[in-house]
Amino acid sequence: YFANALHPDDLSSFEAYLLRCPADGANDQFVCRIRRRDLSYGWFMVKKSPECSESTDDAITCSCVDISGLVRLQQKIARQEESLKNIKLELDTIIENTPGGVHSCRLFDGIFLEYASDGLCQMVGYTRDEISTIFGDKYVLMLHEDDRPAFKDAIHRLVEFQHTENLRYRLRCKDGHIIWVADTIKSVRNTEGK
């Protein structure tokens, strides 16, 4: 009996699948674990024929496709997504508890602000939306006019090769005040070399 080869946790769901009648046009398949000859369990996609049966007495033929590799890949992706989610949560916690502010700029086609932490927004008094609307996400426009040339020179050096620059410059706040900031900027390249 085919059901004897099923993983015990999948048996009741499989029996319900055999009795289920799919809606018109539905692709009625069942994914379960089936014991192999070596007694290990593999993941299989099962499709019954005929697709609808009201009685367990009717003969039902099932075709099975081994999808163990696909399931392992999906499980690996799910683990990696969970790991990335945890890393992002940790990083967000570190950033939001860092005194001052954190920002990330895209440098290969100008100096565009891609990320501004809550701390940076609080320092300058602008929301992220206001920074985007008022400055067009151009970080350099938030700087005091006299400090922009030196800042741009440092950015050009950062684009040439990956390294760190320690800068001091003034930012213009929303209320008109000018504040001095110390900024440690590190350039990194993405997988596209930008």
Side-chain angles (χ1 to χ4, degrees), residues 2 5 15 18-19 26 31-32 48 52 57 60 65 70 75 84 100 102 120 131 133-134 160 162 176 179 183 194:
F2 175 73
E15 290 172 346
L18 292 179
L19 297 174
V31 174
C32 61
K48 65 184 175 181
C52 189
D57 296 333
I60 298 174
V65 177
L70 176 62
Q75 291 170 340
L84 285 173
V102 176
L120 178 63
I131 292 172
T133 302
I134 297 168
E160 288 176 11
Q162 296 183 69
I179 59 170
D183 196 353
K194 296 181 177 179

Side-chain angles (χ1 to χ4, degrees), residues 10-11 28 34 49 54 72 74 105 125 156 162 164 175 183:
D10 296 335
L11 183 56
D28 193 36
I34 298 175
S49 180
E54 298 295 337
R72 281 194 300 273
Q74 289 172 335
C105 293
H156 289 304
Q162 296 183 69
T164 301
D175 64 6
D183 196 353

Side-chain angles (χ1 to χ4, degrees), residues 106-109 159 162 187-194:
R106 188 176 69 242
L107 304 180
F108 65 88
D109 57 355
V159 170
Q162 296 183 69
S187 57
V188 293
R189 295 190 182 275
N190 63 19
T191 54
E192 297 173 353
K194 296 181 177 179

Side-chain angles (χ1 to χ4, degrees), residues 139-145 147-148 151 169-171:
Y139 185 73
V140 71
L141 296 181
M142 298 174 65
L143 274 67
H144 188 282
E145 295 79 0
D147 296 337
R148 292 176 188 174
F151 182 82
Y169 54 84
R170 291 163 287 182
L171 286 174

Side-chain angles (χ1 to χ4, degrees), residues 10-150:
D10 296 335
L11 183 56
S12 60
S13 298
F14 178 72
E15 290 172 346
Y17 163 72
L18 292 179
L19 297 174
R20 186 170 68 226
C21 290
D24 289 342
N27 189 11
D28 193 36
Q29 298 172 337
F30 181 74
V31 174
C32 61
R33 290 158 289 182
I34 298 175
R35 190 172 55 245
R36 295 190 173 108
R37 188 174 291 173
D38 66 0
L39 303 182
S40 68
Y41 282 96
W43 285 95
F44 287 80
M45 181 177 292
V46 179
K47 185 167 178 62
K48 65 184 175 181
S49 180
E51 292 187 351
C52 189
S53 175
E54 298 295 337
S55 168
T56 55
D57 296 333
D58 294 339
I60 298 174
T61 302
C62 292
S63 60
C64 303
V65 177
D66 189 341
I67 59 168
S68 300
L70 176 62
V71 171
R72 281 194 300 273
L73 182 60
Q74 289 172 335
Q75 291 170 340
K76 182 178 179 181
I77 290 171
R79 286 192 303 272
Q80 289 175 339
E81 286 175 347
E82 186 64 27
S83 177
L84 285 173
K85 193 185 304 180
N86 290 335
I87 290 169
K88 183 183 182 311
L89 180 62
E90 291 174 17
L91 184 58
D92 287 344
T93 302
I94 291 169
I95 288 172
E96 296 311 328
N97 289 290
T98 299
V102 176
H103 62 94
S104 172
C105 293
R106 188 176 69 242
L107 304 180
F108 65 88
D109 57 355
I111 308 168
F112 290 95
L113 189 66
E114 289 195 320
Y115 172 80
S117 70
D118 289 342
L120 178 63
C121 291
Q122 289 169 4
M123 275 181 10
V124 295
Y126 292 105
T127 66
R128 289 181 184 90
D129 288 340
E130 288 173 330
I131 292 172
S132 181
T133 302
I134 297 168
F135 301 103
D137 286 327
K138 294 179 181 175
Y139 185 73
V140 71
L141 296 181
M142 298 174 65
L143 274 67
H144 188 282
E145 295 79 0
D146 294 344
D147 296 337
R148 292 176 188 174

